[in-house]
Amino acid sequence: MGDSGSGLSPAAELAHELRPAVADDRVLAAMASIPRERFVPDSERRRAYANVALPIACGQTISQPLVVARMLELLELHPTDRALDVGTGSGYHAALLALLAKEVFTIERHEELSAIAERTIRGLGLDNVSFFVGDGWEGLPDRAPFDAINVAAATGAQLPAALERQLGPGGRLVAPVGEASQRLVLTRRTPEGFRHSTLEGVRFVPLVRDEAE
Ligand code: SAH
């Protein structure tokens, strides 16, 4: 990690380490250019480029880089896409989406996390991300349709129907589905309806249902 003498930045080294598991070069280039250390608390900076999830404020986590990269590649993002990111957390995933899509809308239930993420992302000079505080379970109906929806918290057994409805034609949604045991599920909106593929196992914090609290 860090100064290994390779001449690569720590983020570029991380992208290089992920290469065997991630086929999309645009995703790897984005990972190589976002400094993950800015998205973690000072106490975790030493581990910022390790391929692990790390604790952030409000008892939440910044996701594991490999899982972030896989979710980004499954979304098959185009530079013209409008993307919704549910569960802003540190903002790391949103920053990567900002490099790969045209416009990013990110929603978080903790105001404090949203504010920190906004500062971090603006500090990187990215100006195509809009921040919302609220219940991501409902998505952002006023801003729909989206070409891509990223859900960074586990939905329980069922994908939120409101999110699927906010996909435009050909839209893709990736989400960790399940509770104790979770898998990434990719949903694609086709002319014939929603197609679902169940992929690798993952571990995310739960997508909280605010009305149930
Ligand atoms: N994408 C983040 C990781 C997020 S962890 C990153 O790159 O750092 C999941 C986040 O989802 C947490 O911050 C949690 O507070 C948030 N969350 C959980 N339930 C939510 C809900 N119903 N609406 C919005 N955000 C939610």
Side-chain angles (χ1 to χ4, degrees):
M1 253 184 300
D3 187 11
S4 68
S6 67
L8 294 175
S9 70
E13 280 187 24
L14 172 61
H16 184 75
E17 181 189 331
L18 300 180
R19 183 169 284 279
V22 179
D24 187 332
D25 284 335
R26 280 187 77 226
V27 168
L28 290 170
M31 304 278 302
S33 69
I34 295 290
R36 191 170 181 252
E37 79 220 28
R38 304 255 197 120
F39 295 85
V40 303
D42 286 345
S43 55
E44 298 297 337
R45 205 138 288 179
R46 206 173 38 85
R47 295 199 289 166
Y49 295 97
N51 183 22
V52 292
L54 293 170
I56 57 172
C58 303
Q60 304 302 316
T61 53
I62 176 172
S63 313
Q64 183 189 355
L66 172 60
V67 176
V68 172
R70 283 283 298 141
M71 291 173 85
L72 289 168
E73 80 171 339
L74 289 169
L75 286 177
E76 295 178 27
L77 293 154
H78 302 282
T80 51
D81 281 350
R82 300 173 76 250
L84 172 66
D85 176 47
V86 177
T88 311
S90 69
Y92 179 63
H93 216 139
L96 292 160
L97 286 165
L99 294 182
L100 296 165
K102 178 162 180 245
E103 238 187 317
V104 179
F105 302 83
T106 184
I107 182 162
E108 167 60 53
R109 61 191 287 275
H110 288 288
E111 195 168 354
E112 179 187 345
L113 288 178
S114 181
I116 298 172
E118 180 162 7
R119 238 180 293 137
T120 310
I121 287 180
R122 300 262 181 266
L124 291 174
L126 298 168
D127 60 5
N128 57 341
V129 184
S130 305
F131 295 81
F132 298 82
V133 175
D135 184 7
W137 201 273
E138 301 302 327
L140 285 176
D142 296 351
R143 307 301 171 116
F146 301 102
D147 303 295
I149 301 181
N150 177 60
V151 183
T155 65
Q158 287 279 311
L159 272 172
L163 293 182
E164 281 193 339
R165 280 198 300 272
Q166 289 169 36
L167 283 176
R172 294 83 57 202
L173 179 158
V174 68
V177 176
E179 279 155 14
S181 150
Q182 307 165 10
R183 284 182 174 276
L184 288 182
V185 173
L186 176 68
T187 303
R188 199 179 270 280
R189 181 168 212 160
T190 74
E192 293 78 44
F194 294 109
R195 291 244 178 88
H196 299 103
S197 336
T198 301
L199 303 156
E200 62 258 42
V202 285
R203 235 170 103 174
F204 278 82
V205 297
L207 185 67
V208 175
R209 303 205 72 159
D210 280 330
E211 75 273 348
E213 280 185 324

